[in-house]
Amino acid sequence: MEYGYFFTGFPGFISNQLIREVLRRNEGKGTVYVLVLPSMADKAEAERASIVGDLNLDESQFEIITGDITVSGLDIVPEKADQLENTVTHVFHLAAIYDLAVPKDIAYRVNVEGTRNVNEWVKKLKNIQRYTYFSTAYVAGKREGILYEDELIKPPGFKNFYEETKYEAEVLVDSLKSEIPVTIIRPGIVKGHSKTGETIKFDGPYFIMNFIDRLGFMPFLPKLGTGETVVNLVPVDYIIEATTYLTFAEIGSGKTYHLTDPKPYKVSELYEMMMFELLKKQPVGSVPLSLAKAGLHFRGLRRYLGVEKEALDYFTWKGRFDSSQAQDDLKDSGIVCPDFRDGIAAMAAFYRENKHKPHYQINII
């Protein structure tokens, strides 16, 4: 039977890159179906044309389907739903609100109810071979210490509604493991490509770069905090390659994976590397994170520095992700997480080249 790949989250960057890798891995065979909100149809068509052209696909191999995960049945017209029920073999569910400052009602509607609707839709597929769900390593919430891939434990609290609703959504997907072949992917904080630095928005780890860049005119810059906290940054190419391999490998069925850096750096080390690449300077002194976070309560300062105050919670959180299962199951693939230090030059170069482009500006609220 020919593969039928169904993606949510298109035309997002990770979904876009994942489609390319899936098709490359399977030598361009199979048909791609992407679920797209009507408001994103034009952008989706432009991305579709790019992928079709780059990979020399037949036009019929890539179909845009308008719909909405927050609606029962994904708001797919009945005729198309009947066709997909018989042709889709692999589902990749990436659609979610990826925003640390998202209000609870919006996060719950998209991340939880949306995933519930996708789950119900997947259960109707007659030829499903794998359901791959993109969660996050940060479903751990405020739990600390060593965090394992086979754990799905409700934490004593969450740092934000993004974490909370992604946890609730993962619980829903995890419950399907006894019914259908499920693979759950928990990435760390995703950064740009390890070799090119390419990304589509400067959030997550780029908040540190924004901070350094905006204050680069000062004669010296202090560190943010002095703790031993590590921040787990993972390049998008590792996420894409590992997810594709684990989706199509029999060993990946029924498992949850931390696609995280097994040797992450401390916040202070990341800060020093970024400052050197951007300014060729070393930090002098330090500013307590509590003081920095207090300053970010002022909207004007947040906008100027390009930093969300919620991001600072990750600079003091003391959780560490064990990724032994991912490392073991990827052993035969040759896929390993690149060292952050090896990709910092490309990351900084891409940031410098694109930081003033409107496409890369993010809304700081």
mmCIF file with all atom_site columns, all heavy atoms in Angstrom, residues 265-284:
data_model
loop_
_atom_site.group_PDB
_atom_site.id
_atom_site.type_symbol
_atom_site.label_atom_id
_atom_site.label_alt_id
_atom_site.label_comp_id
_atom_site.label_asym_id
_atom_site.label_entity_id
_atom_site.label_seq_id
_atom_site.pdbx_PDB_ins_code
_atom_site.Cartn_x
_atom_site.Cartn_y
_atom_site.Cartn_z
_atom_site.occupancy
_atom_site.B_iso_or_equiv
_atom_site.pdbx_formal_charge
_atom_site.auth_seq_id
_atom_site.auth_comp_id
_atom_site.auth_asym_id
_atom_site.auth_atom_id
_atom_site.pdbx_PDB_model_num
ATOM 1   N N   . TYR A 1 265 ? 24.235 22.673 28.256 1.00 0.00 ? 265 TYR A N   1
ATOM 2   C CA  . TYR A 1 265 ? 25.104 23.663 28.900 1.00 0.00 ? 265 TYR A CA  1
ATOM 3   C C   . TYR A 1 265 ? 24.346 24.450 29.971 1.00 0.00 ? 265 TYR A C   1
ATOM 4   O O   . TYR A 1 265 ? 23.120 24.589 29.918 1.00 0.00 ? 265 TYR A O   1
ATOM 5   C CB  . TYR A 1 265 ? 25.651 24.639 27.860 1.00 0.00 ? 265 TYR A CB  1
ATOM 6   C CG  . TYR A 1 265 ? 26.704 24.039 26.965 1.00 0.00 ? 265 TYR A CG  1
ATOM 7   C CD1 . TYR A 1 265 ? 26.363 23.455 25.740 1.00 0.00 ? 265 TYR A CD1 1
ATOM 8   C CD2 . TYR A 1 265 ? 28.047 24.047 27.326 1.00 0.00 ? 265 TYR A CD2 1
ATOM 9   C CE1 . TYR A 1 265 ? 27.329 22.900 24.917 1.00 0.00 ? 265 TYR A CE1 1
ATOM 10  C CE2 . TYR A 1 265 ? 29.025 23.497 26.513 1.00 0.00 ? 265 TYR A CE2 1
ATOM 11  C CZ  . TYR A 1 265 ? 28.654 22.919 25.305 1.00 0.00 ? 265 TYR A CZ  1
ATOM 12  O OH  . TYR A 1 265 ? 29.618 22.369 24.490 1.00 0.00 ? 265 TYR A OH  1
ATOM 13  N N   . LYS A 1 266 ? 25.115 24.988 30.908 1.00 0.00 ? 266 LYS A N   1
ATOM 14  C CA  . LYS A 1 266 ? 24.544 25.867 31.920 1.00 0.00 ? 266 LYS A CA  1
ATOM 15  C C   . LYS A 1 266 ? 24.123 27.191 31.273 1.00 0.00 ? 266 LYS A C   1
ATOM 16  O O   . LYS A 1 266 ? 24.661 27.591 30.242 1.00 0.00 ? 266 LYS A O   1
ATOM 17  C CB  . LYS A 1 266 ? 25.573 26.166 33.016 1.00 0.00 ? 266 LYS A CB  1
ATOM 18  C CG  . LYS A 1 266 ? 26.046 24.948 33.787 1.00 0.00 ? 266 LYS A CG  1
ATOM 19  C CD  . LYS A 1 266 ? 27.156 25.338 34.748 1.00 0.00 ? 266 LYS A CD  1
ATOM 20  C CE  . LYS A 1 266 ? 27.754 24.117 35.436 1.00 0.00 ? 266 LYS A CE  1
ATOM 21  N NZ  . LYS A 1 266 ? 28.900 24.481 36.298 1.00 0.00 ? 266 LYS A NZ  1
ATOM 22  N N   . VAL A 1 267 ? 23.175 27.866 31.911 1.00 0.00 ? 267 VAL A N   1
ATOM 23  C CA  . VAL A 1 267 ? 22.725 29.172 31.428 1.00 0.00 ? 267 VAL A CA  1
ATOM 24  C C   . VAL A 1 267 ? 23.907 30.117 31.278 1.00 0.00 ? 267 VAL A C   1
ATOM 25  O O   . VAL A 1 267 ? 24.034 30.817 30.270 1.00 0.00 ? 267 VAL A O   1
ATOM 26  C CB  . VAL A 1 267 ? 21.699 29.790 32.404 1.00 0.00 ? 267 VAL A CB  1
ATOM 27  C CG1 . VAL A 1 267 ? 21.358 31.215 31.981 1.00 0.00 ? 267 VAL A CG1 1
ATOM 28  C CG2 . VAL A 1 267 ? 20.442 28.945 32.456 1.00 0.00 ? 267 VAL A CG2 1
ATOM 29  N N   . SER A 1 268 ? 24.787 30.131 32.268 1.00 0.00 ? 268 SER A N   1
ATOM 30  C CA  . SER A 1 268 ? 25.937 31.043 32.228 1.00 0.00 ? 268 SER A CA  1
ATOM 31  C C   . SER A 1 268 ? 26.842 30.746 31.037 1.00 0.00 ? 268 SER A C   1
ATOM 32  O O   . SER A 1 268 ? 27.376 31.662 30.398 1.00 0.00 ? 268 SER A O   1
ATOM 33  C CB  . SER A 1 268 ? 26.733 30.957 33.530 1.00 0.00 ? 268 SER A CB  1
ATOM 34  O OG  . SER A 1 268 ? 27.171 29.621 33.757 1.00 0.00 ? 268 SER A OG  1
ATOM 35  N N   . GLU A 1 269 ? 27.007 29.469 30.703 1.00 0.00 ? 269 GLU A N   1
ATOM 36  C CA  . GLU A 1 269 ? 27.853 29.087 29.567 1.00 0.00 ? 269 GLU A CA  1
ATOM 37  C C   . GLU A 1 269 ? 27.215 29.500 28.242 1.00 0.00 ? 269 GLU A C   1
ATOM 38  O O   . GLU A 1 269 ? 27.897 30.003 27.331 1.00 0.00 ? 269 GLU A O   1
ATOM 39  C CB  . GLU A 1 269 ? 28.093 27.579 29.594 1.00 0.00 ? 269 GLU A CB  1
ATOM 40  C CG  . GLU A 1 269 ? 28.916 27.111 30.794 1.00 0.00 ? 269 GLU A CG  1
ATOM 41  C CD  . GLU A 1 269 ? 28.945 25.600 30.933 1.00 0.00 ? 269 GLU A CD  1
ATOM 42  O OE1 . GLU A 1 269 ? 27.925 24.944 30.605 1.00 0.00 ? 269 GLU A OE1 1
ATOM 43  O OE2 . GLU A 1 269 ? 29.980 25.077 31.378 1.00 0.00 ? 269 GLU A OE2 1
ATOM 44  N N   . LEU A 1 270 ? 25.906 29.286 28.111 1.00 0.00 ? 270 LEU A N   1
ATOM 45  C CA  . LEU A 1 270 ? 25.187 29.683 26.895 1.00 0.00 ? 270 LEU A CA  1
ATOM 46  C C   . LEU A 1 270 ? 25.277 31.197 26.706 1.00 0.00 ? 270 LEU A C   1
ATOM 47  O O   . LEU A 1 270 ? 25.504 31.696 25.597 1.00 0.00 ? 270 LEU A O   1
ATOM 48  C CB  . LEU A 1 270 ? 23.723 29.262 26.988 1.00 0.00 ? 270 LEU A CB  1
ATOM 49  C CG  . LEU A 1 270 ? 23.451 27.757 27.015 1.00 0.00 ? 270 LEU A CG  1
ATOM 50  C CD1 . LEU A 1 270 ? 21.990 27.495 27.349 1.00 0.00 ? 270 LEU A CD1 1
ATOM 51  C CD2 . LEU A 1 270 ? 23.805 27.123 25.680 1.00 0.00 ? 270 LEU A CD2 1
ATOM 52  N N   . TYR A 1 271 ? 25.089 31.920 27.787 1.00 0.00 ? 271 TYR A N   1
ATOM 53  C CA  . TYR A 1 271 ? 25.132 33.381 27.751 1.00 0.00 ? 271 TYR A CA  1
ATOM 54  C C   . TYR A 1 271 ? 26.501 33.863 27.275 1.00 0.00 ? 271 TYR A C   1
ATOM 55  O O   . TYR A 1 271 ? 26.604 34.755 26.425 1.00 0.00 ? 271 TYR A O   1
ATOM 56  C CB  . TYR A 1 271 ? 24.820 33.909 29.145 1.00 0.00 ? 271 TYR A CB  1
ATOM 57  C CG  . TYR A 1 271 ? 24.592 35.397 29.237 1.00 0.00 ? 271 TYR A CG  1
ATOM 58  C CD1 . TYR A 1 271 ? 23.345 35.949 28.975 1.00 0.00 ? 271 TYR A CD1 1
ATOM 59  C CD2 . TYR A 1 271 ? 25.622 36.257 29.618 1.00 0.00 ? 271 TYR A CD2 1
ATOM 60  C CE1 . TYR A 1 271 ? 23.126 37.313 29.084 1.00 0.00 ? 271 TYR A CE1 1
ATOM 61  C CE2 . TYR A 1 271 ? 25.417 37.609 29.725 1.00 0.00 ? 271 TYR A CE2 1
ATOM 62  C CZ  . TYR A 1 271 ? 24.162 38.139 29.458 1.00 0.00 ? 271 TYR A CZ  1
ATOM 63  O OH  . TYR A 1 271 ? 23.953 39.494 29.565 1.00 0.00 ? 271 TYR A OH  1
ATOM 64  N N   . GLU A 1 272 ? 27.553 33.276 27.803 1.00 0.00 ? 272 GLU A N   1
ATOM 65  C CA  . GLU A 1 272 ? 28.910 33.667 27.415 1.00 0.00 ? 272 GLU A CA  1
ATOM 66  C C   . GLU A 1 272 ? 29.182 33.356 25.941 1.00 0.00 ? 272 GLU A C   1
ATOM 67  O O   . GLU A 1 272 ? 29.778 34.160 25.229 1.00 0.00 ? 272 GLU A O   1
ATOM 68  C CB  . GLU A 1 272 ? 29.929 32.947 28.300 1.00 0.00 ? 272 GLU A CB  1
ATOM 69  C CG  . GLU A 1 272 ? 29.974 33.472 29.724 1.00 0.00 ? 272 GLU A CG  1
ATOM 70  C CD  . GLU A 1 272 ? 30.910 32.675 30.610 1.00 0.00 ? 272 GLU A CD  1
ATOM 71  O OE1 . GLU A 1 272 ? 31.647 31.820 30.060 1.00 0.00 ? 272 GLU A OE1 1
ATOM 72  O OE2 . GLU A 1 272 ? 30.913 32.899 31.828 1.00 0.00 ? 272 GLU A OE2 1
ATOM 73  N N   . MET A 1 273 ? 28.731 32.173 25.478 1.00 0.00 ? 273 MET A N   1
ATOM 74  C CA  . MET A 1 273 ? 28.944 31.809 24.070 1.00 0.00 ? 273 MET A CA  1
ATOM 75  C C   . MET A 1 273 ? 28.213 32.772 23.138 1.00 0.00 ? 273 MET A C   1
ATOM 76  O O   . MET A 1 273 ? 28.756 33.226 22.128 1.00 0.00 ? 273 MET A O   1
ATOM 77  C CB  . MET A 1 273 ? 28.472 30.373 23.824 1.00 0.00 ? 273 MET A CB  1
ATOM 78  C CG  . MET A 1 273 ? 29.429 29.304 24.289 1.00 0.00 ? 273 MET A CG  1
ATOM 79  S SD  . MET A 1 273 ? 28.891 27.642 23.754 1.00 0.00 ? 273 MET A SD  1
ATOM 80  C CE  . MET A 1 273 ? 27.926 27.140 25.161 1.00 0.00 ? 273 MET A CE  1
ATOM 81  N N   . MET A 1 274 ? 26.965 33.094 23.477 1.00 0.00 ? 274 MET A N   1
ATOM 82  C CA  . MET A 1 274 ? 26.180 33.996 22.637 1.00 0.00 ? 274 MET A CA  1
ATOM 83  C C   . MET A 1 274 ? 26.769 35.403 22.629 1.00 0.00 ? 274 MET A C   1
ATOM 84  O O   . MET A 1 274 ? 26.860 36.041 21.581 1.00 0.00 ? 274 MET A O   1
ATOM 85  C CB  . MET A 1 274 ? 24.731 34.028 23.121 1.00 0.00 ? 274 MET A CB  1
ATOM 86  C CG  . MET A 1 274 ? 23.967 32.738 22.885 1.00 0.00 ? 274 MET A CG  1
ATOM 87  S SD  . MET A 1 274 ? 22.248 32.872 23.454 1.00 0.00 ? 274 MET A SD  1
ATOM 88  C CE  . MET A 1 274 ? 21.655 31.208 23.122 1.00 0.00 ? 274 MET A CE  1
ATOM 89  N N   . MET A 1 275 ? 27.187 35.884 23.791 1.00 0.00 ? 275 MET A N   1
ATOM 90  C CA  . MET A 1 275 ? 27.760 37.222 23.862 1.00 0.00 ? 275 MET A CA  1
ATOM 91  C C   . MET A 1 275 ? 29.046 37.316 23.046 1.00 0.00 ? 275 MET A C   1
ATOM 92  O O   . MET A 1 275 ? 29.274 38.298 22.326 1.00 0.00 ? 275 MET A O   1
ATOM 93  C CB  . MET A 1 275 ? 28.026 37.635 25.308 1.00 0.00 ? 275 MET A CB  1
ATOM 94  C CG  . MET A 1 275 ? 28.569 39.061 25.425 1.00 0.00 ? 275 MET A CG  1
ATOM 95  S SD  . MET A 1 275 ? 28.871 39.584 27.134 1.00 0.00 ? 275 MET A SD  1
ATOM 96  C CE  . MET A 1 275 ? 27.193 39.682 27.745 1.00 0.00 ? 275 MET A CE  1
ATOM 97  N N   . PHE A 1 276 ? 29.868 36.287 23.135 1.00 0.00 ? 276 PHE A N   1
ATOM 98  C CA  . PHE A 1 276 ? 31.123 36.335 22.388 1.00 0.00 ? 276 PHE A CA  1
ATOM 99  C C   . PHE A 1 276 ? 30.863 36.336 20.891 1.00 0.00 ? 276 PHE A C   1
ATOM 100 O O   . PHE A 1 276 ? 31.492 37.085 20.136 1.00 0.00 ? 276 PHE A O   1
ATOM 101 C CB  . PHE A 1 276 ? 32.028 35.164 22.772 1.00 0.00 ? 276 PHE A CB  1
ATOM 102 C CG  . PHE A 1 276 ? 33.359 35.202 22.073 1.00 0.00 ? 276 PHE A CG  1
ATOM 103 C CD1 . PHE A 1 276 ? 34.357 36.063 22.512 1.00 0.00 ? 276 PHE A CD1 1
ATOM 104 C CD2 . PHE A 1 276 ? 33.604 34.415 20.964 1.00 0.00 ? 276 PHE A CD2 1
ATOM 105 C CE1 . PHE A 1 276 ? 35.574 36.133 21.853 1.00 0.00 ? 276 PHE A CE1 1
ATOM 106 C CE2 . PHE A 1 276 ? 34.820 34.477 20.291 1.00 0.00 ? 276 PHE A CE2 1
ATOM 107 C CZ  . PHE A 1 276 ? 35.811 35.334 20.746 1.00 0.00 ? 276 PHE A CZ  1
ATOM 108 N N   . GLU A 1 277 ? 29.936 35.497 20.423 1.00 0.00 ? 277 GLU A N   1
ATOM 109 C CA  . GLU A 1 277 ? 29.649 35.425 18.986 1.00 0.00 ? 277 GLU A CA  1
ATOM 110 C C   . GLU A 1 277 ? 29.031 36.709 18.464 1.00 0.00 ? 277 GLU A C   1
ATOM 111 O O   . GLU A 1 277 ? 29.307 37.130 17.337 1.00 0.00 ? 277 GLU A O   1
ATOM 112 C CB  . GLU A 1 277 ? 28.724 34.245 18.680 1.00 0.00 ? 277 GLU A CB  1
ATOM 113 C CG  . GLU A 1 277 ? 29.401 32.891 18.747 1.00 0.00 ? 277 GLU A CG  1
ATOM 114 C CD  . GLU A 1 277 ? 30.497 32.718 17.698 1.00 0.00 ? 277 GLU A CD  1
ATOM 115 O OE1 . GLU A 1 277 ? 30.427 33.349 16.628 1.00 0.00 ? 277 GLU A OE1 1
ATOM 116 O OE2 . GLU A 1 277 ? 31.445 31.949 17.963 1.00 0.00 ? 277 GLU A OE2 1
ATOM 117 N N   . LEU A 1 278 ? 28.193 37.358 19.275 1.00 0.00 ? 278 LEU A N   1
ATOM 118 C CA  . LEU A 1 278 ? 27.518 38.571 18.808 1.00 0.00 ? 278 LEU A CA  1
ATOM 119 C C   . LEU A 1 278 ? 28.351 39.834 18.999 1.00 0.00 ? 278 LEU A C   1
ATOM 120 O O   . LEU A 1 278 ? 28.360 40.719 18.140 1.00 0.00 ? 278 LEU A O   1
ATOM 121 C CB  . LEU A 1 278 ? 26.184 38.745 19.546 1.00 0.00 ? 278 LEU A CB  1
ATOM 122 C CG  . LEU A 1 278 ? 25.069 37.768 19.171 1.00 0.00 ? 278 LEU A CG  1
ATOM 123 C CD1 . LEU A 1 278 ? 23.865 37.986 20.075 1.00 0.00 ? 278 LEU A CD1 1
ATOM 124 C CD2 . LEU A 1 278 ? 24.667 37.923 17.705 1.00 0.00 ? 278 LEU A CD2 1
ATOM 125 N N   . LEU A 1 279 ? 29.064 39.922 20.134 1.00 0.00 ? 279 LEU A N   1
ATOM 126 C CA  . LEU A 1 279 ? 29.752 41.175 20.483 1.00 0.00 ? 279 LEU A CA  1
ATOM 127 C C   . LEU A 1 279 ? 31.257 41.038 20.649 1.00 0.00 ? 279 LEU A C   1
ATOM 128 O O   . LEU A 1 279 ? 31.956 42.047 20.801 1.00 0.00 ? 279 LEU A O   1
ATOM 129 C CB  . LEU A 1 279 ? 29.175 41.734 21.797 1.00 0.00 ? 279 LEU A CB  1
ATOM 130 C CG  . LEU A 1 279 ? 27.662 41.952 21.872 1.00 0.00 ? 279 LEU A CG  1
ATOM 131 C CD1 . LEU A 1 279 ? 27.289 42.471 23.255 1.00 0.00 ? 279 LEU A CD1 1
ATOM 132 C CD2 . LEU A 1 279 ? 27.198 42.922 20.788 1.00 0.00 ? 279 LEU A CD2 1
ATOM 133 N N   . LYS A 1 280 ? 31.745 39.804 20.655 1.00 0.00 ? 280 LYS A N   1
ATOM 134 C CA  . LYS A 1 280 ? 33.161 39.545 20.941 1.00 0.00 ? 280 LYS A CA  1
ATOM 135 C C   . LYS A 1 280 ? 33.545 40.106 22.307 1.00 0.00 ? 280 LYS A C   1
ATOM 136 O O   . LYS A 1 280 ? 34.639 40.625 22.515 1.00 0.00 ? 280 LYS A O   1
ATOM 137 C CB  . LYS A 1 280 ? 34.067 40.151 19.851 1.00 0.00 ? 280 LYS A CB  1
ATOM 138 C CG  . LYS A 1 280 ? 33.764 39.663 18.446 1.00 0.00 ? 280 LYS A CG  1
ATOM 139 C CD  . LYS A 1 280 ? 33.833 38.147 18.334 1.00 0.00 ? 280 LYS A CD  1
ATOM 140 C CE  . LYS A 1 280 ? 33.491 37.678 16.918 1.00 0.00 ? 280 LYS A CE  1
ATOM 141 N NZ  . LYS A 1 280 ? 33.336 36.207 16.840 1.00 0.00 ? 280 LYS A NZ  1
ATOM 142 N N   . LYS A 1 281 ? 32.623 39.975 23.252 1.00 0.00 ? 281 LYS A N   1
ATOM 143 C CA  . LYS A 1 281 ? 32.861 40.433 24.623 1.00 0.00 ? 281 LYS A CA  1
ATOM 144 C C   . LYS A 1 281 ? 32.583 39.289 25.588 1.00 0.00 ? 281 LYS A C   1
ATOM 145 O O   . LYS A 1 281 ? 31.916 38.309 25.246 1.00 0.00 ? 281 LYS A O   1
ATOM 146 C CB  . LYS A 1 281 ? 31.926 41.592 24.984 1.00 0.00 ? 281 LYS A CB  1
ATOM 147 C CG  . LYS A 1 281 ? 32.134 42.877 24.207 1.00 0.00 ? 281 LYS A CG  1
ATOM 148 C CD  . LYS A 1 281 ? 31.128 43.937 24.680 1.00 0.00 ? 281 LYS A CD  1
ATOM 149 C CE  . LYS A 1 281 ? 31.264 45.244 23.924 1.00 0.00 ? 281 LYS A CE  1
ATOM 150 N NZ  . LYS A 1 281 ? 30.260 46.244 24.380 1.00 0.00 ? 281 LYS A NZ  1
ATOM 151 N N   . GLN A 1 282 ? 33.098 39.452 26.824 1.00 0.00 ? 282 GLN A N   1
ATOM 152 C CA  . GLN A 1 282 ? 32.778 38.540 27.909 1.00 0.00 ? 282 GLN A CA  1
ATOM 153 C C   . GLN A 1 282 ? 31.945 39.295 28.945 1.00 0.00 ? 282 GLN A C   1
ATOM 154 O O   . GLN A 1 282 ? 32.144 40.495 29.146 1.00 0.00 ? 282 GLN A O   1
ATOM 155 C CB  . GLN A 1 282 ? 34.056 38.008 28.569 1.00 0.00 ? 282 GLN A CB  1
ATOM 156 C CG  . GLN A 1 282 ? 34.901 37.123 27.662 1.00 0.00 ? 282 GLN A CG  1
ATOM 157 C CD  . GLN A 1 282 ? 34.221 35.809 27.341 1.00 0.00 ? 282 GLN A CD  1
ATOM 158 O OE1 . GLN A 1 282 ? 33.381 35.323 28.093 1.00 0.00 ? 282 GLN A OE1 1
ATOM 159 N NE2 . GLN A 1 282 ? 34.580 35.223 26.194 1.00 0.00 ? 282 GLN A NE2 1
ATOM 160 N N   . PRO A 1 283 ? 30.986 38.634 29.599 1.00 0.00 ? 283 PRO A N   1
ATOM 161 C CA  . PRO A 1 283 ? 30.178 39.328 30.612 1.00 0.00 ? 283 PRO A CA  1
ATOM 162 C C   . PRO A 1 283 ? 31.016 39.736 31.815 1.00 0.00 ? 283 PRO A C   1
ATOM 163 O O   . PRO A 1 283 ? 31.999 39.089 32.161 1.00 0.00 ? 283 PRO A O   1
ATOM 164 C CB  . PRO A 1 283 ? 29.120 38.292 30.987 1.00 0.00 ? 283 PRO A CB  1
ATOM 165 C CG  . PRO A 1 283 ? 29.702 36.976 30.602 1.00 0.00 ? 283 PRO A CG  1
ATOM 166 C CD  . PRO A 1 283 ? 30.581 37.239 29.418 1.00 0.00 ? 283 PRO A CD  1
ATOM 167 N N   . VAL A 1 284 ? 30.591 40.822 32.444 1.00 0.00 ? 284 VAL A N   1
ATOM 168 C CA  . VAL A 1 284 ? 31.260 41.338 33.638 1.00 0.00 ? 284 VAL A CA  1
ATOM 169 C C   . VAL A 1 284 ? 30.210 41.481 34.734 1.00 0.00 ? 284 VAL A C   1
ATOM 170 O O   . VAL A 1 284 ? 29.214 42.182 34.570 1.00 0.00 ? 284 VAL A O   1
ATOM 171 C CB  . VAL A 1 284 ? 31.916 42.709 33.377 1.00 0.00 ? 284 VAL A CB  1
ATOM 172 C CG1 . VAL A 1 284 ? 32.547 43.251 34.661 1.00 0.00 ? 284 VAL A CG1 1
ATOM 173 C CG2 . VAL A 1 284 ? 32.941 42.601 32.263 1.00 0.00 ? 284 VAL A CG2 1
#
